[in-house]
Amino acid sequence: MPNVFPRRFSAHLTLLAALLMGAAPALAQTETAQTGASPVGGLLPLVSVGEKWIQDVESYTIRVLPQDAGKPLGLEIYSPTFNLADYVDGRRAAGYFGDELYKKNEAFTTTFTLVGPGGTVAERRYGQNREHTWDSLFAGGLGAGTYTLRVNSKGDGKNSYALRVASPFALETSDFTVNARSNTPEPLLAARLNVTPDWVGKAVGILNYDIDGPQEAETFVVQPGGKRANLTPSENGKTATDRFTITPEMVGEWQVFIRVLPTTKQYSNAVRYSFRLGDQPVTARVGGFNPPAGAKVENQLLVDVVDPQGRPIPGASYTLVGESAVRPQLPPGYVPISSSILQGTGNIVSPSEVRYQPGFTKVRFVARAPEGQLAVDAVAIYGDQRIPLTGVPFEVAGRTLNTPVNVPLSPGDYPVKPTPVPGSTFTPPLPGRVTDGVAGKVTIEYRVLTDVTLITAPDIVNACDVTQLTASARTDFPYRLPGRLKLNLPTGWTSDYPLETSGDFSGGQPLRLKVPVRVCRSDTAEAVLDPVGLRTTGTARVQSPAGANVTRTVQGGARASLTKNVNAGAQNYAVTLVFTVDSTLENVRLIDPLPTGGSTPAVRGPLQLQGPSLANVQPRVDGDAILLSRVIPGSYTLTYTLFSDLPADRVVTAPDLGW
């Protein structure tokens, strides 16, 4: 094909040669194999009939696969305008292509409309002239999807034209009209049908309409291997159908031809072909053309869409507005900067629109990539404080980063996925929104979980004896938290030591406050953790000198208590330990020190245990501790005989608990 149509979209998008040009040698080979004659004449022109035709609108499908999105479509038309000199007063002019007007005083128009998933891509209406021209309908790239080119003529006549698209695209249709002309008596290719292996055993139907009988033209199909199968020529205004049951040998490309016979009585003959698999339409490839040497370019538009450095913007294209305006089609977020006319005439409307005069026109649009940021930080919600956190990992846009950070991103909405932090909870934040020139922000809020305990040891004392209160603030949160622990003592409890302390605590490092307190009446003390206002209590009871006990509050709210009573006997003492627990515990240590100071060491007699029947606890003595391997909620009573020569007021020792 002569290089009469220089084509380019962006810096590298080139409107390629005719779709079927590479198949021309195969056509020649097929014809030679069947007839021994010279190569076939080429490709049939397509035709749109204005009135009284079985098909009002001619439709062609173009499929853009995801891997081909943005590639130049290169949709071109040869002879889209009706040529009044093509067939005048019953005779043909030189270069006859097939345009025929039956009422010469009536206007005739043809509209080409390319539509896709987003609506109309390009539309152009052509009137009448006295020459065959060719036009670039749409040269740019398209997004993935299925597009339809519709051709509709108005007027009493028919307009012959040819279509082509750039590789790797193809024009496909199941029902279409061609124009067979008597000035090209060689067989001309109408369509290529791809028969696939899954069609084996099924029936393929090839239909033709209105050939006007066998004296006008012959039509046939060339199957794989060069096998020719004649098709039945249809009569005037009727349809002829030929059906083929597909065998494995038939799999491959079928070429459908038509040849006008010397016995014809008309200059040109509009013929409609249809393809069916069973009763369902199937598409074949059509189109392709070589414009004759010297053919006039009626309208050619070349469009560059580049960045400020002059580099093509990937995925950019353009859209046509009417017949004289063009706008860039930019990837999401790109901002138009300028537009210019490099060649041709027209005017600049805005950075995103140019109006041009028909002819050879070259336009350039410049746009910049969107620029934005997303700021992500994290805070600990701790009481009424918001404590900034550094180094907290999170995920955004497929990346893992640490707070705080500003992430360069193109405009859009970006979900931020926080990483769990021990000792806290969080609610997933709303996606961060980035717009051009504006930074979005997302703050991850971690609500800190803390615990405060208060231990009274011993919790049973003689009147105005001293016990120790130990308040502890704990958390699993790994970041340091400021805290203030304070004790509130009831009436009758006094201490000479400070009742509050301040400091930081975190996972593995609690904040503690230990205070000796003189207890002169049974009552309850309170421990408070600020700034969260978390509170807990501890009780001490005053009793006779014959007893002592301890109560512990365990993390999670569990409580355990141990009461000790000593009764004097004739030459020994009966000791009773009552252990009460409201949760299952492992490896409990009942610490019961033996009294010291007698002339002979004190001796603990054998242990006796009563408790829940399901507990199955076997107590074991380990020094001053009595070990219980596992206890379940309930009350346990241990008794033993204490042998000591100490007086009664010296044998009572304070018990304790551990696990």
Side-chain angles (χ1 to χ4, degrees):
M1 181 183 71
N3 186 17
V4 297
F5 192 13
R7 297 166 293 276
R8 179 164 60 91
F9 170 66
S10 240
H12 304 290
L13 302 186
T14 304
L15 302 181
L16 304 180
L19 173 67
L20 301 178
M21 277 297 294
L27 301 183
Q29 180 182 3
T30 299
E31 179 63 17
T32 303
Q34 296 302 316
T35 66
S38 60
V40 296
L43 303 168
L44 276 167
L46 303 165
V47 67
S48 173
V49 181
E51 295 180 6
K52 304 172 185 177
W53 189 242
I54 190 172
Q55 188 163 318
D56 181 48
V57 178
E58 302 289 325
S59 295
Y60 310 94
T61 298
I62 303 170
R63 306 181 198 280
V64 179
L65 300 177
Q67 63 266 29
D68 298 326
K71 293 181 180 179
L73 180 64
L75 176 57
E76 302 170 0
I77 316 170
Y78 177 67
S79 188
T81 306
F82 188 92
N83 187 353
L84 290 170
D86 215 23
Y87 180 83
V88 181
D89 299 326
R91 66 179 185 277
R92 297 179 296 193
Y96 174 71
F97 196 62
D99 294 348
E100 294 187 2
L101 185 64
Y102 306 127
K103 294 179 182 178
K104 60 182 179 180
N105 294 326
E106 282 192 3
F108 191 96
T109 62
T110 302
T111 302
F112 291 78
T113 306
L114 179 64
V115 297
T120 301
V121 177
E123 183 174 86
R124 194 166 296 161
R125 181 182 178 189
Y126 296 90
Q128 300 168 327
N129 66 2
R130 289 188 173 274
E131 58 187 342
H132 291 301
T133 60
W134 55 288
D135 199 354
S136 170
L137 182 63
F138 189 82
L142 296 171
T146 300
Y147 296 79
T148 302
L149 176 65
R150 300 190 181 106
V151 185
N152 188 20
S153 294
K154 300 295 182 182
D156 193 1
K158 60 184 179 182
N159 182 10
S160 292
Y161 56 88
L163 299 170
R164 69 179 175 186
V165 288
S167 176
F169 306 109
L171 292 154
E172 298 178 313
T173 183
S174 61
D175 301 83
F176 65 104
T177 307
V178 295
N179 196 24
R181 302 157 301 169
S182 60
N183 63 337
T184 52
E186 304 90 349
L188 297 183
L189 179 66
R192 299 172 181 271
L193 177 67
N194 184 31
V195 175
T196 58
D198 58 307
W199 292 12
V200 172
K202 300 178 182 179
V204 168
I206 301 179
L207 295 72
N208 66 81
Y209 170 78
D210 202 38
I211 285 181
D212 295 334
Q215 75 282 353
E216 290 294 327
E218 65 173 357
T219 181
F220 58 92
V221 59
V222 175
Q223 299 172 352
K227 180 180 179 181
R228 171 171 168 162
N230 291 326
L231 302 175
T232 304
S234 55
E235 297 293 338
N236 181 31
K238 296 183 178 179
T239 299
T241 303
D242 294 281
R243 297 189 182 277
F244 302 86
T245 300
I246 302 303
T247 64
E249 293 75 19
M250 297 179 178
V251 172
E253 184 179 83
W254 292 24
Q255 301 169 349
V256 179
F257 294 89
I258 187 170
R259 182 172 75 92
V260 178
L261 298 175
T263 53
T264 183
K265 296 180 180 180
Q266 51 189 328
Y267 292 135
S268 67
N269 189 356
V271 177
R272 180 177 183 259
Y273 282 99
S274 302
F275 300 98
R276 299 291 184 267
L277 179 61
D279 296 327
Q280 300 300 314
V282 290
T283 59
R285 286 182 296 153
V286 298
F289 69 91
N290 294 323
K296 181 181 178 182
V297 179
E298 181 70 18
N299 187 28
Q300 186 178 15
L301 176 66
L302 307 180
V303 180
D304 287 346
V305 183
V306 299
D307 62 19
Q309 289 73 42
R311 297 169 300 196
I313 296 175
S317 183
Y318 66 89
T319 57
L320 303 176
V321 183
E323 298 183 5
S324 61
V326 58
R327 294 174 181 170
Q329 191 174 52
L330 300 171
Y334 270 76
V335 180
I337 296 178
S338 65
S339 59
S340 58
I341 300 176
L342 303 180
Q343 192 168 346
T345 58
N347 63 291
I348 306 300
V349 178
S350 70
S352 59
E353 183 172 341
V354 170
R355 297 190 181 276
Y356 62 95
Q357 298 296 323
F360 184 82
T361 306
K362 189 174 181 181
V363 174
R364 170 168 290 177
F365 292 102
V366 179
R368 65 171 176 82
E371 301 169 351
Q373 288 185 335
L374 181 63
V376 182
D377 62 5
V379 296
I381 305 299
Y382 176 63
D384 58 357
Q385 299 184 25
R386 296 173 64 87
I387 303 173
L389 301 177
T390 60
V392 180
F394 67 93
E395 293 182 17
V396 66
R399 300 167 59 190
T400 299
L401 303 167
N402 294 330
T403 62
V405 68
N406 289 329
V407 189
L409 293 169
S410 58
D413 291 339
Y414 294 89
V416 174
K417 182 181 179 183
T419 297
V421 175
S424 67
T425 62
F426 67 85
T427 300
L430 294 176
R433 173 159 294 182
V434 177
T435 56
D436 184 60
V438 178
K441 184 174 182 179
V442 171
T443 297
I444 306 171
E445 296 182 341
Y446 291 93
R447 296 195 173 273
V448 179
L449 303 177
T450 56
D451 186 17
V452 61
T453 61
L454 177 58
I455 298 174
T456 304
D459 64 350
I460 298 179
V461 296
N462 293 324
C464 295
D465 273 358
V466 175
T467 186
Q468 180 169 271
L469 301 186
T470 303
S472 299
R474 302 174 184 272
T475 184
D476 291 329
F477 197 63
Y479 297 88
R480 300 180 69 85
L481 301 171
R484 183 166 67 97
L485 270 176
K486 64 179 180 179
L487 291 172
N488 295 324
L489 301 182
T491 301
W493 292 29
T494 58
S495 178
D496 297 329
Y497 291 82
L499 296 180
E500 67 176 56
T501 186
S502 298
D504 293 337
F505 67 107
S506 61
Q509 184 173 349
L511 175 64
R512 287 193 176 96
L513 172 61
K514 294 184 178 181
V515 178
V517 176
R518 187 175 302 278
V519 178
C520 294
R521 56 174 290 182
S522 298
D523 212 329
T524 300
E526 181 183 57
V528 181
L529 173 62
D530 287 330
V532 292
L534 195 61
R535 299 169 182 267
T536 191
T537 59
T539 300
R541 183 165 59 90
V542 176
Q543 71 163 22
S544 66
N549 64 10
V550 63
T551 299
R552 286 191 181 275
T553 300
V554 195
Q555 260 188 325
R559 292 180 66 86
S561 64
L562 178 63
T563 300
K564 178 179 180 180
N565 286 299
V566 179
N567 294 313
Q571 296 182 359
N572 49 51
Y573 299 93
V575 180
T576 301
L577 298 173
V578 179
F579 173 61
T580 303
V581 64
D582 62 2
S583 294
T584 299
L585 297 175
E586 306 283 345
N587 299 320
V588 178
R589 297 172 63 86
L590 308 183
I591 301 171
D592 180 32
L594 294 175
T596 59
S599 60
T600 59
V603 176
R604 180 185 287 115
L607 294 174
Q608 303 294 325
L609 173 67
Q610 291 183 340
S613 59
L614 297 178
N616 192 26
V617 177
Q618 299 295 326
R620 181 170 59 87
V621 176
D622 181 15
D624 286 339
I626 301 171
L627 304 182
L628 305 179
S629 60
R630 183 175 183 273
V631 294
I632 62 176
S635 182
Y636 301 79
T637 301
L638 291 95
T639 59
Y640 66 89
T641 300
L642 175 64
F643 299 92
S644 175
D645 59 359
L646 288 171
D649 62 344
R650 295 179 58 190
V651 296
V652 179
T653 58
D656 201 357
L657 289 172
W659 50 84

